Amino acid sequence: MKRKLKSGFALLTVLVMGMSLAGCGGSGDTTAATDGELTNNGNYIFATGGTSGTYYPLGGAMATIINGAVEGTNITVQSTGASKENIMLVSKGEADYAIVQNDVLDYADKGVQLFEGEPITGVSTVASIYPEIVQLVVGADSGINTVADLKGKRVSIGDAGSGVEANALQVLEAYGMSVDDIKVSRLSFKESGNAFKDNQLDAFFVTAGVPNTAIVELAVTRPIQLLNIDGAEADKLVADYPFYTTITIPKDVYGTAEDINTIAVRAIIISRADLNETEVYNFTKALYENLDTLGQSHAKGKEILLEQATDGVTVALHPGAAKYYSEVGVG
């Protein structure tokens, strides 16, 4: 299903109160609690992402709300390297909940791409929360008008081993290209933005919610354009990789010349599969019954919709989450 994002996004404003930070360790206890008994006496680690990204402050806002709504619950937010690391932490019992991209979780479940030959177990899906959009940035006056025009150009495809890199490689493949056809760099969002600003790159990929801070900051310094990923190539990507959907970014999000048609994955919340039904049910219920408060604390909270809670889910729901969705008629 194709969705159009609401236009007029404000820059992300974060209000996270009462959020405590964990060190490198997690709970470490992979023994399932019996139903009704709280794991680690109600103390949970919530793995998110880097402090300058979206996952970390959004996870903090969620933790504050759920801690206040569920008696005896103390969720501590942990800054991490995002999707791949988060899946590993949850699988090992070093974190109890995490935010990840649904495509990276799909790779982990199947033992492909970033997890080649090493399928991950012990992880369940809790909620699909908002779209993470594949954004391909070029200069407005660069003469690069299509993905095919990237041949021979200097392109950052995201951090090595990241979900962004996997998305970029799939997009290039859909257009009959590979990294052999470009001058490839593997840089973070911020590094890509800085390199682009310094004329060391011609284009870079970002997979994130919009507006993305690195792109917004760049657009202040020079005119940019995002390339469309659409038509037969987008159809092929959706057919080959069911975690993708098509989506439109309105032109006023980044001040581009026109709306941009592209593809998206979903940011999702996962949990340890061995958490008991009651605690994950309570987590899920508290999240969805407090979306208004979450939206006041973080801009992404306004994009989280109960009716989309199972969109793009390819790894089984935790029974606690499934119970809540059954009660409210979702999925």
Side-chain angles (χ1 to χ4, degrees):
M1 178 185 298
K2 184 167 184 172
R3 296 192 177 88
K4 182 162 182 173
L5 297 179
K6 293 182 180 179
S7 59
F9 279 97
L11 293 180
L12 299 182
T13 302
V14 179
L15 173 61
V16 181
M17 299 178 295
M19 178 174 65
S20 56
L21 303 181
C24 294
S27 65
D29 179 5
T30 58
T31 302
T34 58
D35 194 36
E37 177 188 346
L38 297 180
T39 302
N40 301 319
N41 297 315
N43 296 306
Y44 308 95
I45 298 298
F46 192 0
T48 56
T51 56
S52 62
T54 298
Y55 288 1
Y56 179 77
L58 178 61
M62 290 178 176
T64 298
I65 288 168
I66 295 169
N67 288 346
V70 183
E71 184 177 356
T73 294
N74 179 34
I75 299 172
T76 301
V77 173
Q78 180 170 314
S79 175
T80 70
S83 294
K84 182 177 180 180
E85 180 181 350
N86 289 352
I87 292 167
M88 298 299 295
L89 288 170
V90 172
S91 177
K92 294 175 181 177
E94 295 175 8
D96 305 292
Y97 295 96
I99 306 177
V100 303
Q101 288 181 201
N102 68 333
D103 56 331
V104 181
L105 182 61
D106 191 80
Y107 304 149
D109 185 59
K110 293 181 170 65
V112 298
Q113 295 279 357
L114 314 179
F115 300 86
E116 188 66 45
E118 298 180 358
I120 303 302
T121 59
V123 176
S124 295
T125 302
V126 175
S128 176
I129 51 178
Y130 66 86
E132 300 228 75
I133 301 170
V134 179
Q135 301 162 71
L136 183 44
V137 182
V138 299
D141 56 354
S142 66
I144 302 172
N145 299 309
T146 70
V147 176
D149 293 337
L150 292 178
K151 286 187 177 180
K153 298 296 192 294
R154 302 165 299 172
V155 184
S156 173
I157 61 173
D159 278 322
S162 68
V164 182
E165 180 186 35
N167 299 147
L169 295 177
Q170 290 158 1
V171 169
L172 291 173
E173 180 184 25
Y175 282 83
M177 299 166 62
S178 73
V179 291
D180 294 333
D181 296 302
I182 61 175
K183 297 173 183 176
V184 67
S185 296
R186 291 176 169 85
L187 305 173
S188 70
F189 297 165
K190 185 173 183 178
E191 291 168 339
S192 293
N194 288 338
F196 188 88
K197 184 170 60 178
D198 294 339
N199 198 33
Q200 296 172 354
L201 286 176
D202 300 304
F204 65 96
F205 282 86
V206 168
T207 301
V210 299
N212 172 261
T213 302
I215 300 176
V216 169
E217 291 176 350
L218 181 63
V220 173
T221 65
R222 63 176 290 190
I224 64 165
Q225 181 61 28
L226 274 65
L227 298 185
N228 288 302
I229 302 170
D230 58 3
E233 291 82 7
D235 292 342
K236 175 175 172 53
L237 284 162
V238 172
D240 290 348
Y241 305 102
F243 43 75
Y244 281 126
T245 59
T246 55
I247 200 164
T248 298
I249 306 174
K251 60 185 179 182
D252 58 348
V253 171
Y254 294 117
T256 53
E258 57 186 14
D259 292 349
I260 303 300
N261 297 313
T262 185
I263 55 174
V265 293
R266 298 281 298 184
I268 63 172
I269 299 173
I270 62 172
S271 74
R272 285 169 44 183
D274 60 356
L275 294 182
N276 73 55
E277 182 178 295
T278 298
E279 51 195 340
V280 177
Y281 172 89
N282 289 339
F283 179 105
T284 310
K285 180 181 174 71
L287 171 65
Y288 282 103
E289 292 190 352
N290 291 279
L291 290 181
D292 287 345
T293 302
L294 181 60
Q296 294 169 10
S297 298
H298 194 288
K300 282 297 164 199
K302 297 182 175 68
E303 297 182 40
I304 301 174
L305 302 173
L306 178 59
E307 57 266 32
Q308 295 177 9
T310 61
D311 285 7
V313 171
T314 61
V315 173
L317 290 169
H318 190 284
K323 178 181 177 182
Y324 176 72
Y325 299 140
S326 177
E327 288 180 355
V328 296
V330 170

